């Protein structure tokens, strides 16, 4: 299953799936223009999926509905998403054209954030990034750690379709935390080559993230030790390790 990342703004991706007839599924359209350009005069989208309420993820919905009125808009239950036509909750199945996705609640970045998993794909918004994770604007470290663990438990060949091109900067932080990790070293080299060629680093595969992403590796000895050194104190459990890593990343400069 091929998911196309459409660049938007400085570093966003809007995700697009097409079926055999040319009809599409649109995920997190913060801007209508890239979607309108990609779909042109083709048939209307099957639906729009939204992961959370931030403007760089939902700001283009009204423009798409103006072009294709009545397009279903699936979103987490949140009064801040006025364009939603159908609320979704954890455990729901969303049937869109030929595709089926299961909804996963992943609070932390926002209180109502969800992800969509199916067809070998994971649309995870701003919860999981390649080699990183989102900031905690409305959740706790324990919530975000639990959300990431929920995603990390999915099959390793799942293609991770996150919503920002942050991978190069995330690699610098990951190497500061876990510099002796050979899988991470190889991934960082590949990322540098992709970005030098102007290519996206996404989607990535979940198995790669489990091997390289420090935020999914809080139980690993090297990651825990690095977090404790930076925090200057013992950390009692994996959620505390995660919280220390996230605080470190918030102030990190390569």
């Amino acid at each position: 299953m091929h998911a196309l990342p459409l660049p938007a703004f400085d570093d966003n991706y809007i995700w697009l799936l097409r079926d055999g007839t040319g009809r599409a599924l649109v995920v997190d359209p913060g801007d209508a223009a890239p979607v309108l350009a990609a779909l042109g005069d083709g048939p209307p989208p099957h639906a729009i999926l939204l992961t959370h309420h931030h403007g760089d993820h939902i700001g283009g919905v009204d423009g798409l509905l103006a072009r294709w009125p009545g397009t279903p808009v699936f979103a987490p239950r949140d009064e801040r998403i006025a364009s939603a036509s159908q609320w979704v909750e954890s455990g729901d199945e969303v049937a869109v054209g030929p595709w089926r996705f299961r909804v996963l609640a992943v609070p932390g970045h926002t209180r109502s954030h969800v992800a969509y998993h199916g067809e070998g794909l994971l649309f995870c918004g701003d919860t999981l990034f390649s080699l990183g994770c989102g900031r905690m604007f409305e959740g706790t470290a324990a919530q975000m750690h639990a959300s990431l663990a929920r995603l990390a438990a999915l099959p390793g060949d799942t293609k991770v379709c996150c919503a920002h091109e942050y991978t190069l900067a995330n690699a610098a932080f990951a190497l500061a935390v876990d510099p002796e990790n050979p899988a991470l070293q190889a991934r960082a080299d590949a990322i540098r080559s992709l970005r030098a060629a102007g290519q996206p680093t996404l989607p990535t595969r979940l198995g790669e993230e489990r091997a390289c992403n420090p935020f999914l590796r809080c139980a690993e000895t090297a990651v825990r030790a690095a977090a404790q050194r930076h925090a200057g104190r013992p950390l009692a459990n994996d959620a505390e390790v995660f919280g220390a890593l996230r605080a470190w990343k918030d102030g990190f400069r390569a």
Side-chain angles (χ1 to χ4, degrees), residues 1-4 16-26 39 42-47 96-100 119:
M1 183 67 62
H2 179 66
L4 175 68
L16 204 67
L17 283 181
R18 290 185 195 254
D19 67 13
T21 70
R23 294 190 70 185
L25 170 67
V26 182
L39 299 185
H46 286 292
V96 180
W99 307 295
R100 301 293 182 272
E119 311 294 341

Side-chain angles (χ1 to χ4, degrees), residues 29-57:
D31 185 5
V35 180
L36 294 171
L39 299 185
D41 294 327
H46 286 292
I48 297 167
L49 302 184
L50 304 177
T51 61
H52 64 292
H53 75 279
H54 286 161
D56 62 328
H57 293 252

Side-chain angles (χ1 to χ4, degrees), residues 110-185:
T110 70
R111 59 177 169 79
S112 63
H113 202 303
V114 299
Y116 301 87
H117 174 247
E119 311 294 341
L121 303 170
L122 174 65
F123 297 110
C124 51
D126 287 357
T127 296
L128 174 63
F129 294 130
S130 182
L131 302 184
C133 72
R135 290 178 180 262
M136 296 177 293
F137 290 119
E138 297 180 1
T140 66
Q143 283 179 314
M144 191 69 159
H145 178 257
S147 293
L148 290 169
R150 192 169 299 123
L151 299 182
L154 297 172
D157 61 353
T158 301
K159 292 180 181 179
V160 180
C161 303
C162 12
H164 289 274
E165 183 56 77
Y166 290 163
T167 317
L168 190 61
N170 287 345
F173 176 73
L175 286 167
V177 174
D178 197 12
E180 303 304 317
N181 182 336
L184 173 58
Q185 294 167 356

Side-chain angles (χ1 to χ4, degrees), residues 170-214:
N170 287 345
F173 176 73
L175 286 167
V177 174
D178 197 12
E180 303 304 317
N181 182 336
L184 173 58
Q185 294 167 356
R187 175 77 176 135
D189 287 342
I191 288 161
R192 294 185 194 104
S193 296
L194 285 168
R195 296 310 292 156
Q199 297 298 309
T201 63
L202 301 169
T204 180
R205 292 192 182 269
L206 192 56
E208 287 185 306
E209 293 305 307
R210 290 199 295 250
C212 300
N213 188 330

